[in-house]
């Protein structure tokens, strides 16, 4: 039997996919990213090395996006913050989609702590 695409069982590939989906839903429901990062922290210890790399990627995406948004919000006073926020949104979507593609192909994230895309 194959793994389900989405599951709430921590440490499973479907749970990591659910976290990515929650991250994308955060544009509509802001708290979903917070729920996703909590799920990633919970599932990280019991996950296989493949899924663990995705959880680490998701945790890093969350904290870096939060940093981008705080810096962007502060700098909106001098207009450049709007550009930072827009760039952060593009970066966020690309990182999440690439993570989902790698998970679907059963490939680990090679450097989850990287800032790059």
């Amino acid at each position: 039997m194959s793994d389900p695409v989405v599951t709430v069982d921590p440490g499973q590939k479907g749970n990591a996919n659910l976290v990515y989906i929650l991250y994308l839903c955060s544009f509509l429901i802001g708290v979903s990213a917070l729920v996703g990062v909590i799920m990633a922290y919970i599932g990280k210890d019991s996950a296989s090395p493949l899924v663990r790399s995705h959880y680490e990627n998701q945790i890093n995406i969350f904290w870096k996006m939060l940093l981008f948004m705080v810096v962007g919000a502060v700098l909106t006073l001098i207009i450049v913050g709007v550009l930072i926020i827009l760039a952060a949104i593009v970066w966020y979507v690309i990182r999440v989609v690439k993570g989902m593609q790698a998970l679907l192909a059963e490939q680990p994230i090679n450097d989850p702590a990287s800032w790059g895309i």
Side-chain angles (χ1 to χ4, degrees):
M1 189 169 139
S2 65
D3 289 336
V5 175
V6 175
T7 182
V8 292
D9 186 17
Q12 298 295 318
K13 183 180 159 187
N15 191 43
N17 196 36
L18 178 60
V19 174
Y20 283 126
I21 292 168
L22 286 170
Y23 277 14
L24 290 176
C25 290
S26 69
F27 292 112
L28 300 174
I29 307 166
V31 74
S32 68
L34 182 62
V35 171
V37 78
I38 291 170
M39 289 174 64
Y41 273 115
I42 290 171
K44 185 172 79 165
D45 293 332
S46 63
S48 67
L50 167 76
V51 178
R52 182 175 295 127
S53 74
H54 284 276
Y55 283 141
E56 290 172 357
N57 183 46
Q58 293 162 346
I59 291 167
N60 281 304
I61 288 171
F62 175 83
W63 289 112
K64 289 173 184 172
M65 183 62 171
L66 184 63
L67 175 67
F68 281 136
M69 296 308 275
V70 168
V71 170
V74 169
L75 292 178
T76 54
L77 299 173
I78 57 172
I79 310 298
V80 76
V82 175
L83 297 175
I84 291 173
I85 291 172
L86 290 175
I89 290 170
V90 170
W91 173 85
Y92 182 82
V93 170
I94 290 171
R95 284 288 297 248
V96 169
V97 169
K98 285 184 77 172
M100 288 179 85
Q101 289 174 338
L103 185 63
L104 182 63
E106 297 190 7
Q107 298 173 342
I109 302 296
N110 294 328
D111 188 10
S114 76
W115 286 84
I117 298 171

